[in-house]
Structure formats: structure tokens, C-alpha cells
Amino acid sequence: MGKTILAAVVMMAMGASVGFAAPGAGAPAMGGPGARAGRGGARAAPATLGAAMRDMGATYKRIKAEYADAAKLETTLTDLSTMERDIAVSKMNLPDNVKAMTGDAQVKATKEYRSMMHNLLKNFVDLEQAVTDGKKDDAKKNIEEIDKIMDAGHKEFRPNE
């Protein structure tokens, strides 16, 4: 087991994608960017804001369709982790309209964008906890709040959408 973890750490340090399976679950499936590695498997991390946003849109649709189904708990938790990762990728990039700004306007918009993404991430972490705990009403409230944050973010940072 220790050698497996060491090998995984070395591979990740080299930039390789690594998947883990529960004991007895068989070999982890691996796929290219955008590929789902089996039922509920993780995909390679997107490299750009546009790719992260596209992946987030597809992942969020799945989450909304599956979060209340206890039989899909593991798939939902994997999708939530993927969403959280993609939000982190998005926080490291700026929307084109913010990049086009200069001076104080850019500083202010950057702060607003990162704050909004932080709030979005926080709500997804709360959603993950509600799903894990089987609290469907709390999860539904998180979904409603996430929808509001996403709508406001798209209006402000993707005005031509």
C-alpha cells in the first residue's frame, strides 16, 4: 500500500493523472480530458477558464439531476469534488472582460470575481455536506443559492451570454 501511494505522489508530481479505487474495486479507469472514468470517475483537470466553465456546466447539470438519489451518492460526491476542483481552476483565471480592464477598475472587478468564486465554492462544499448527511432540504436550498450565484456571475462576467 505504501508503495502505491508513493508511486501516485511521484506520478502526480510529474503531471500524470492518477485514479484511486477502493480495495477490491479493481483497477482504476483512466481517461483523457473530458472523459469520465467509469461510473462517477474523475476527469482530467481543465487548463483554461473556458474549459473549466464548460466542464462545470455539464457537471452541475448531473449534480442537479442526481443529488437527491441515495443510490447515486458516490457519483454525486465525485461530481461535487470535480466541481470544487473546477471552481478552484476558475479562481486562478480571469474572465476576458476583466482582463480587458485596466487600473482600479480591473483591481475591483478581479476582487469581485474571486469573491464570487469563493462564495460559489463555499456553497458547493455546503452542498457536499448536505448530500453526505442525506439532508435533501438543505441540499435543495444550496442548489437554489448556487443558481443565484451562477446567474449573477454570468450576468456580470459573461454579459454577452
Side-chain angles (χ1 to χ4, degrees):
M1 179 74 166
K3 289 181 182 178
T4 302
I5 293 172
L6 178 59
V9 170
V10 169
M11 288 181 69
M12 285 192 290
M14 293 172 35
S17 177
V18 178
F20 291 97
M30 300 192 52
R36 262 185 104 124
R39 183 178 142 87
R43 295 170 302 283
T48 65
L49 179 59
M53 291 292 176
R54 281 188 299 277
D55 285 358
M56 285 175 16
T59 302
Y60 188 49
K61 284 179 187 176
R62 284 194 308 273
I63 290 168
K64 288 174 81 168
E66 70 197 11
Y67 80 91
D69 186 347
K72 294 183 178 181
L73 177 63
E74 290 304 315
T75 301
T76 304
L77 292 175
T78 297
D79 283 340
L80 284 163
S81 293
T82 300
M83 190 76 176
E84 292 161 10
R85 177 205 64 197
D86 291 349
I87 293 169
V89 168
S90 298
K91 284 175 63 176
M92 293 186 290
N93 295 279
L94 293 175
D96 289 340
N97 67 334
V98 175
K99 287 182 200 175
M101 296 176 183
T102 59
D104 290 342
Q106 187 180 49
V107 170
K108 181 181 178 195
T110 298
K111 184 176 179 180
E112 289 173 8
Y113 172 73
R114 291 204 171 118
S115 177
M116 187 173 284
M117 295 306 291
H118 173 81
N119 193 26
L120 183 63
L121 179 59
K122 189 173 117 185
N123 274 275
F124 270 101
V125 170
D126 291 345
L127 174 59
E128 180 181 6
Q129 190 64 55
V131 168
T132 300
D133 293 343
K135 296 181 177 178
K136 293 179 185 176
D137 289 340
D138 289 349
K140 184 177 179 185
K141 289 176 187 173
N142 285 113
I143 295 274
E144 291 168 358
E145 183 63 24
I146 288 167
D147 285 342
K148 290 177 190 174
I149 294 167
M150 292 174 82
D151 286 346
H154 290 159
K155 283 179 186 169
E156 185 170 349
F157 298 108
R158 293 202 45 132
N160 298 328
E161 192 174 81

